[in-house]
Amino acid sequence: MLSDPFNPWLSRPTTPPATEAAPIADVPKTFGPVAPQRGIPAPDRVDQLPIYNRNTTAALWWVGAHGGAGESTLAALLPGSQAAGHSWPHTASASPAPTVLVARSDARGLRAAQAAMRQWAAGLVPSVEVLGLVVMADAPGRLPRALRNLMQVVSGGVPRTWSVPWVDAWRVGEPPALSSSPREAQRLVNELTAILGAAGTLN
């Protein structure tokens, strides 16, 4: 005699609830040059970032265009990435190291980013692949028009540009955490994860 499949006294296998996969960000489009170009004048040597050998590997390097840019803060938000300080990384890998420039949104920071981009665009840093630029707010509130215009000019020299607003908690020394970061920072990490995943450089 067959067992009643609906008999409450008989144990039945349970089906685990279906789980949805976490959404994966699309690889963002590029809006600027993705490789060095001929005819780009190099910045003066005093304005160039040094190139240092790195004995460690990283899925991504954050390069601060100047002191206080915020590269260490961003490195804490993306596991597997490292802050390179204010220098270009040169690793033992045969492939260029994925790199993102970081600068503050004041005039000094944007001009430092522009000099670093010209150094890369002139072909002086073959050890890196510049994925884009992150502009970190230097103060709360909206940028003045002059700085917005300068930022637009600077953004034209890199493949992509992201902006991260002012975060009071980071200023007073609270450890950066992606879960409590502004949505712009979360979008940055999601898009970089997509870029690195598509390139096969993020495990």
Side-chain angles (χ1 to χ4, degrees):
M1 183 176 179
L2 297 177
S3 300
D4 180 1
F6 300 103
N7 189 332
W9 303 108
L10 297 178
S11 61
R12 290 177 291 172
T14 58
T15 303
T19 57
E20 295 184 2
I24 300 175
D26 293 331
V27 175
K29 296 180 180 179
T30 58
F31 295 95
V34 297
Q37 309 153 73
R38 288 187 175 184
I40 300 296
D44 293 339
R45 184 172 294 274
V46 69
D47 295 324
Q48 296 180 21
L49 295 177
I51 302 173
Y52 288 156
N53 290 326
R54 300 287 177 172
N55 296 324
T56 58
T57 58
L60 176 78
W61 293 92
W62 305 94
V63 173
H66 56 88
E71 69 276 5
S72 297
T73 297
L74 295 177
L77 300 180
L78 179 59
S81 68
Q82 290 192 37
H86 314 125
S87 63
W88 300 103
H90 183 278
T91 68
S93 173
S95 302
T99 301
V100 172
L101 280 166
V102 186
R104 290 289 172 178
S105 60
D106 58 0
R108 170 179 169 267
L110 292 173
R111 292 194 179 104
Q114 191 172 40
M117 290 184 304
R118 285 175 53 202
Q119 183 182 1
W120 163 73
L124 301 182
V125 199
S127 61
V128 305
E129 176 191 5
V130 174
L131 303 180
L133 166 70
V134 178
V135 179
M136 304 280 284
D138 70 302
R142 182 177 172 85
L143 279 179
R145 176 177 295 180
L147 291 179
R148 293 200 305 271
N149 292 342
L150 178 57
M151 180 176 167
Q152 185 175 7
V153 171
V154 172
S155 297
V158 287
R160 310 168 184 87
T161 302
W162 297 273
S163 296
V164 175
W166 180 262
V167 180
D168 281 322
W170 295 349
R171 185 187 187 193
V172 298
E174 292 188 17
L178 188 60
S179 59
S180 59
S181 296
R183 64 178 182 274
E184 292 87 349
Q186 296 181 15
R187 172 175 166 265
L188 164 67
V189 169
N190 288 340
E191 291 188 352
L192 283 173
T193 300
I195 294 170
L196 297 172
T201 57
L202 187 65
N203 295 325

